[in-house]
Amino acid sequence: MKLQRKNRRVLALGAIAVSGALALTACGSDDTSNGGDATGSSTAQAGSIKCDDAKGQLLADGSSAQKNAIDAWVKQFTAQCGVQINYKGSGSGAGITAFNNGQVAFAGSDSALKPEEVTASKKVCSGGTGIDLPMVGGPIVAGFNVSGVDKLTLNAETLAKIFNNEITNWNDAAIAKLNPGVKLPDLKIQAFHRSDESGTTDNFTKYLISEAKDSFPYEGGKAWQAKGGQSASGSSGVAQQVKETNGAIGYFELSYAKDGITAASLDTGASAPVEATVENATKAIAEAQVVGTGSDYSLKLNYGTKADGAYPMVLVTYEIVCDKGNKADTLPATKAFLRYIASEEGQGVLADNDYAPIPDDIIAKVRTTIESLS
C-alpha cells in the first residue's frame, strides 16, 4: 500500500507544487529527543539550514502525531546548529498546557487553539498571543491486526459503530458488505482509543461526527467520549496495543502503521476505496480553508470530500508559538528551528516519514510569519 521510500521525497515536493496551484479559500487573513551537543552556536548558514544565533536548548511538548517528524527534523537541525531540542510527545492537550504555563518554547497540537486557550496564552506571550502555524499533515489511519486479513475497506459508518461498541465482531454483515471476497473471521473486535487528551482523537472524531453523526452522537474534542473499548497513551501506545492483539483496531498516524499493522482503506463515496497514503492525504488537505486571522493560520478541513483519490480522515499539526513576547534566550533557536521545518527542505523530509507537506500557499505565509516572531 505504501509508496517506496526512495520515491516519497520527489513525490512530496511535487505535491507541494501541485497543492500550491489549488485554491485554498481564506475566511480570515512520548519520548524525549535529545539532539546531541547543546553548546554550539552559529551566525552562518550551515548547509541550507540557517542557524543565526541559535544556541543552548529548546524544550517543547505536545502532539505525539508529529513525534516521528520532529525526531527526523531534530536530527538534521542539531547536526548543523548544535542546538539541543527536547520534544516530549505527551499529546496535544499536555503541550498546550505546558505552553500556556510558560514551560516550553513552542508546543505541537493537532487541533488549533480554542478561544480560551488563546486568552490564556496572553499571560505568557508578553504583548502578544499564541498563534497556530500548520507544519505537518497526514492521514489518520484505522490500523488493524486481524489474522488472515491483509486488506480491508471500512467507511465512516462502520468505523463509528466499531468505536461506539455497536459493531463488535469482525464478520459483521456491515463489514462483510464493504469487503466482498474477503474471508472475515468470527473474532471479537478489540477497539483501542487514546487515554490522554489528543488532537488525533479530536480529528478522528470530527471525521466520524461529520460523516456518521447518528452512529457517533458525541460532541468530540481531545478527550475520548464514546463508551467501551480499551485505551492507551499516545499514538505509539495505541499502535503497540494493536500490534500485540489479534482482532484489534485503533486510530493513529500512518507512520505508526507498520510491523504487523495494516491501514484500512476508506469508502468515501468516490469511484473506488481510497488508500491511506501521503499523496491521498495531501489531496484532501489541499481542500482546507484558512479560518485563522492575522498571523494565525488555523485550518478547517473538508472531512466530507468525495474526490477520487482524496483521503479525508486527516489531521494537520500546528506548532504553537507566541507572535510577540517570546523569551529572549530561546527566540533565536525557536525561529531557526521553525524556519528550517517550514522550508522546502524541511517539508521535503515529511514524506520520507509518512507525513504530508503543507500546501504551498499556506506554508509560504507561515514562513513570512516565522521571520516576524519577536
Side-chain angles (χ1 to χ4, degrees):
M1 185 192 74
K2 298 181 182 178
L3 294 174
Q4 294 186 13
R5 292 185 179 274
K6 65 181 180 180
N7 293 328
R8 285 181 178 145
R9 187 180 184 87
V10 173
L11 288 168
L13 292 177
I16 294 174
V18 170
S19 59
L22 296 174
L24 282 156
T25 305
C27 301
S29 52
D30 301 323
D31 298 321
T32 302
S33 297
N34 294 326
D37 183 13
T39 61
S41 66
S42 174
T43 57
Q45 182 170 337
S48 58
I49 298 178
K50 189 177 180 182
C51 302
D52 286 341
D53 295 319
K55 59 184 178 181
Q57 65 175 330
L58 289 180
L59 299 180
D61 197 3
S63 164
S64 66
Q66 69 168 357
K67 182 67 165 57
N68 293 334
I70 289 283
D71 287 350
W73 281 330
V74 166
K75 182 178 180 180
Q76 297 298 321
F77 183 77
T78 296
Q80 295 200 31
C81 296
V83 176
Q84 184 185 51
I85 300 177
N86 295 336
Y87 182 83
K88 295 172 63 178
S90 302
S92 298
I96 291 173
T97 297
F99 178 78
N100 282 340
N101 286 336
Q103 298 169 339
V104 294
F106 69 91
S109 176
D110 309 317
S111 299
L113 290 168
K114 297 178 180 178
E116 61 269 26
E117 292 168 339
V118 173
T119 298
S121 74
K122 294 180 181 180
K123 297 178 181 179
V124 176
C125 305
S126 179
T129 187
I131 56 174
D132 301 287
L133 301 179
M135 206 69 74
V136 181
I140 302 172
V141 306
F144 67 93
N145 174 12
V146 180
S147 181
V149 178
D150 57 10
K151 187 175 183 180
L152 188 70
T153 296
L154 298 171
N155 60 14
E157 186 75 16
T158 54
L159 277 172
K161 289 182 176 180
I162 286 170
F163 282 91
N164 199 29
N165 206 32
E166 293 182 23
I167 292 179
T168 58
N169 220 61
W170 280 109
N171 64 353
D172 187 276
I175 300 177
K177 184 178 180 180
L178 292 169
N179 294 275
V182 177
K183 188 175 181 181
L184 297 167
D186 182 7
L187 178 67
K188 181 181 178 181
I189 295 174
Q190 307 277 356
F192 287 89
H193 58 263
R194 290 282 288 271
S195 60
D196 53 321
E197 289 200 354
S198 161
T200 308
T201 294
D202 191 15
N203 285 276
F204 178 64
T205 56
K206 280 179 179 175
Y207 171 72
L208 298 182
I209 292 167
S210 170
E211 302 306 298
K213 176 66 174 177
D214 290 344
S215 297
F216 203 80
Y218 304 98
E219 293 180 0
K222 294 187 183 72
W224 183 256
Q225 297 170 348
K227 308 299 181 184
Q230 303 173 66
S231 65
S233 179
S235 292
S236 60
V238 174
Q240 186 64 28
Q241 291 299 317
V242 173
K243 178 182 176 181
E244 295 176 353
T245 307
N246 185 30
I249 187 170
Y251 59 89
F252 33 77
E253 295 67 44
L254 179 61
S255 63
Y256 293 96
K258 54 188 176 182
D259 300 330
I261 300 174
T262 305
S265 295
L266 285 182
D267 182 343
T268 65
S271 62
V274 184
E275 294 184 348
T277 67
V278 168
E279 291 70 36
N280 291 346
T282 298
K283 291 179 182 179
I285 293 171
E287 296 187 23
Q289 296 177 330
V290 179
V291 294
T293 59
S295 298
D296 185 277
Y297 290 99
S298 53
L299 304 176
K300 180 180 180 181
L301 299 169
N302 180 11
Y303 297 107
T305 181
K306 293 177 173 55
D308 285 347
Y311 184 89
M313 200 161 72
V314 296
L315 59 74
V316 168
T317 299
Y318 303 92
E319 310 313 329
I320 295 170
V321 67
C322 296
D323 59 354
K324 298 177 183 178
N326 290 279
K327 295 179 180 178
D329 58 340
T330 58
L331 178 59
T334 299
K335 289 182 69 170
F337 182 66
L338 294 179
R339 179 188 297 120
Y340 161 59
I341 68 178
S343 70
E344 184 174 324
E345 179 183 354
Q347 290 287 294
V349 168
L350 292 175
D352 291 333
N353 293 277
D354 294 319
Y355 296 98
I358 300 301
D360 190 59
D361 282 2
I362 300 302
I363 203 66
K365 296 175 182 178
V366 169
R367 290 168 187 155
T368 299
T369 297
I370 290 169
E371 296 307 321
S372 71
L373 298 179
S374 62

